[in-house]
Amino acid sequence: MNPPLPPEALIIGDQIKTVVLPYYQVIEGANSAWTQNRDKTLAFRANGDFSKFTGVKVDDTLIDAKNYTAVSGSTVITLKADYLNTLSVGTHKLTVVYNDGECSTNFEIKAPQNESGGGSGSEKTPQTDDNSNMLLWAALLFVSGVGVLGTSVYGRKKKHSL
């Protein structure tokens, strides 16, 4: 009985050969985030040889090359804003495909924040326990000012009358 073959074994005719596949990984941009209507592009760098690059998948679907740019420097993939705006809010999987392997990472599409900076609108403004009435404080300041002014005028009149 023959021993079990390792998963990377390749049988050619009656010969058994071991094939070592390259180990590809995303080395920059892994697990990054992109905010709708705010950020322009989203870039990733994989350690594979650019000459072996064949395409990009998002959520396991090969995407059209018009939706990204790919340049050498290992392999730098930049997803375009027009494409990113078509994706739903949430986590997505990017896969860089080479002719002899692939590597993947996740990225997140975030909803745009509202103008007040409060996020997507579901968060509430924190309570600061400053429930004082500003009109009351303004009136108190005014009365205090009149009191100080009155005391000083009274003090001057008293000095001059002596």
Side-chain angles (χ1 to χ4, degrees), residues 49-56 68 70 75 77 96-99:
D49 184 355
F50 186 70
S51 65
K52 296 179 179 183
F53 170 75
T54 61
V56 175
Y68 63 89
T75 305
I77 305 298
V96 182
V97 182
Y98 296 95
N99 58 16

Side-chain angles (χ1 to χ4, degrees), residues 22-23 28 48 125 141 144 159:
Y23 175 68
E28 288 179 22
T125 304
L141 179 64
S144 298
K159 264 186 184 178

Side-chain angles (χ1 to χ4, degrees), residues 56 61-69 83:
V56 175
T61 302
L62 196 61
I63 64 172
D64 194 308
K66 71 179 182 181
N67 295 318
Y68 63 89
T69 59
Y83 174 71

Side-chain angles (χ1 to χ4, degrees), residues 93-155:
K93 178 181 170 185
L94 174 110
T95 304
V96 182
V97 182
Y98 296 95
N99 58 16
D100 59 351
E102 58 186 38
C103 59
S104 298
T105 187
N106 290 330
F107 66 96
E108 183 181 0
I109 302 292
K110 294 183 175 183
Q113 293 183 343
N114 59 25
E115 292 300 316
S116 65
S120 62
S122 61
E123 299 105 11
K124 292 183 179 180
T125 304
Q127 181 63 31
T128 61
D129 287 336
D130 185 10
N131 297 324
S132 60
N133 185 347
M134 286 304 292
L135 187 57
L136 177 64
W137 285 109
L140 185 59
L141 179 64
F142 178 74
V143 169
S144 298
V146 169
V148 168
L149 186 61
T151 303
S152 118
V153 168
Y154 177 75

